[in-house]
Amino acid sequence: MAEFTMELNDEQKEVRDWLHGFAADVIRPAAAEWDEREETPWPVIQEAAKVGIYSLDFYAQQYFDPTGLGIPMAMEELFWGDAGIALSIVGTGLAAVGVLANGTDEQIGTWIPQMYGDASDVKVAAFCSSEPDAGSDVASMRTHAVYDEANDEWVLNGTKTWATNGGIANVHVVVAVVDPDLGSKGHASFIVPPDTPGLSQGQKFKKHGIRASHTAEVVLDGVRVPGSCLLGGKEKLDERLARAREKAKAGGERVKNAAMATFEASRPAVGAMAVGTARAAYEVALDYARTREQFGRPIIDNQGVAFQLADMRTSIDAARLLVWRASWMAVNGKPFTAAEGSMSKLFASETAKKVTAQAVQILGGNGYTREYPVERMHRDSAIYTIFEGTSEIQRLVIARTLAGMPIR
């Protein structure tokens, strides 16, 4: 087990500097254009693929970093560049992780390469979980999958929403109900291959922020996928469902929400995204305060501005430390006895919203215009307190954990 450290090693620093250079030289110059266009920045994703950032190998190397700092370090640097473009680059990773966590070796080898494509023909993937009536309450999911034993096929029907890359993805990973009596224990995940009949894009959302990232509904109307597309296989699913039914019948241990527990482990990465956006806004505000003069002196000489910057930097550093702690715990198998994953996401998300708002205020009228990036960063930051569990859900998870109650 790696010791917890606040110091990156030489290899991590090299990767950090490489990512920072890509964010500064490729992502930032394109940020305003793709925010205005509200389209997937395919040329930027292709550039990321060419240098090896948009690839399973890169994320696997960071994920298996024994210190736990590889993923949060990478997320912070990319989202420092621009949140919308960065989400377009890393969004496929959520679907890939779903396959890595639940799929067989054959499924991993077959489908993950198809999620990314290659530098000459990049592809994206989508993870489809949320629904119009089942966002935070994943137990209320209605999309269902029925097994057609005669044809060894699963038939999926329902509507997913808020799907990053939904409808434009080469591969969709869809969570569906296979046994409604078991709540979240009755869910399973399915691969929907490219060009499968019955899958279509519904509404594409015109968003307040992260506008370079494609977000849409995914409609599943009689979608048929081979039995081999059930992640983990039917034998494993049947065994899991049987255990869940026995526990429910015995009236013993409460069936816990497995999806919520999975989210708890992934939330530090979202916290790192928020730290990247907050740091970017702070740096713009700091530079502006040093060079903008009013009444014959830089505005940073005014205590009202200087104290804001001091609070901004303090909050960013505190958020990063919470993210790093939770990331180290997750990779080293330390239980989140106080919901440390949710703590990191909660604090970092709220910090991003506050810091970007302060940056707009420090820039004054300039901060309110699209001539300066803090306006976009402020809009982008709003998502962090919403997706991957709202701030209210984070507080609920933390409170229930402290009280010794199951997460649900």
Side-chain angles (χ1 to χ4, degrees), residues 136-140 182-185 187 254-264 406-408:
S136 298
D137 183 11
V138 295
S140 296
L182 295 176
S184 62
K185 286 290 186 180
H187 296 175
R254 180 191 292 267
V255 175
K256 296 182 180 180
N257 191 323
M260 290 294 286
T262 300
F263 287 148
E264 174 69 5
I407 301 172
R408 66 182 183 186

Side-chain angles (χ1 to χ4, degrees), residues 29-347:
E33 175 188 351
W34 292 99
D35 177 72
E36 290 286 346
R37 292 175 64 167
E38 299 191 52
E39 297 174 357
T40 300
W42 292 106
V44 183
I45 299 174
Q46 187 173 39
E47 287 301 311
K50 286 179 181 177
V51 299
I53 293 174
Y54 185 71
S55 69
L56 175 63
D57 288 345
F58 172 74
Y59 288 105
Q61 289 172 14
Q62 305 315 310
Y63 182 81
F64 290 111
D65 180 342
T67 70
L69 302 185
I71 289 293
M73 176 265 297
M75 295 299 171
E76 179 177 338
E77 293 304 326
L78 292 172
F79 280 74
W80 172 90
D82 177 68
I85 291 178
L87 190 57
S88 290
I89 292 173
V90 307
T92 293
L94 187 58
V97 167
V99 176
L100 282 169
N102 302 298
T104 64
D105 289 343
E106 183 178 357
Q107 289 170 332
I108 291 169
T110 298
W111 295 111
I112 290 184
Q114 295 187 48
M115 293 181 175
Y116 287 92
D118 55 47
S120 62
D121 184 23
V122 293
K123 306 291 185 183
V124 295
F127 183 77
C128 307
S129 179
S130 294
E131 297 185 3
D133 296 319
S136 298
D137 183 11
V138 295
S140 296
M141 191 177 294
R142 295 181 181 178
T143 297
H144 58 275
V146 177
Y147 184 55
D148 178 355
E149 188 171 1
N151 295 300
D152 186 26
E153 292 180 331
W154 287 90
V155 185
L156 281 65
N157 285 281
T159 299
K160 295 296 182 178
T161 193
W162 309 121
T164 299
N165 299 329
I168 66 170
N170 196 48
V171 177
H172 291 75
V173 178
V174 177
V175 182
V177 178
V178 293
D179 188 332
D181 295 332
L182 295 176
S184 62
K185 286 290 186 180
H187 296 175
S189 296
F190 299 85
I191 291 285
V192 180
D195 302 319
T196 299
L199 184 146
S200 62
Q201 179 183 306
Q203 176 187 5
K204 177 186 175 182
F205 296 103
K206 296 182 73 65
K207 304 187 298 296
H208 177 63
I210 57 168
R211 302 198 306 191
S213 174
H214 176 97
T215 310
E217 291 181 330
V218 174
V219 179
L220 302 126
D221 183 10
V223 171
R224 286 182 169 268
V225 299
S228 59
C229 287
L230 167 64
L231 289 180
K234 193 166 188 305
E235 182 177 349
K236 183 178 178 181
L237 173 65
D238 289 342
E239 291 174 357
R240 177 166 63 81
L241 295 178
R243 289 195 301 270
R245 292 185 189 112
E246 284 301 315
K247 286 183 179 179
K249 189 183 300 183
E253 179 185 350
R254 180 191 292 267
V255 175
K256 296 182 180 180
N257 191 323
M260 290 294 286
T262 300
F263 287 148
E264 174 69 5
S266 67
R267 282 169 177 158
V270 180
M273 298 174 188
V275 171
T277 300
R279 189 184 110 212
Y282 158 76
E283 289 176 1
V284 173
L286 177 62
D287 182 65
Y288 187 87
R290 285 171 170 167
T291 57
R292 172 71 166 173
E293 291 191 0
Q294 290 288 279
F295 306 104
R297 61 179 182 172
I299 63 173
I300 198 171
D301 287 352
N302 297 312
Q303 191 178 79
V305 172
F307 279 14
Q308 282 194 76
L309 289 163
D311 287 343
M312 292 159 75
R313 176 60 185 266
T314 301
S315 295
I316 291 167
D317 282 9
R320 183 184 297 108
L321 287 174
L322 283 172
V323 167
W324 283 17
R325 179 186 70 166
S327 300
W328 173 80
M329 291 176 68
V331 90
N332 285 285
K334 295 282 188 181
F336 287 160
T337 56
E340 288 87 351
S342 285
M343 281 186 185
S344 69
K345 198 267 185 183
L346 170 64
F347 190 81

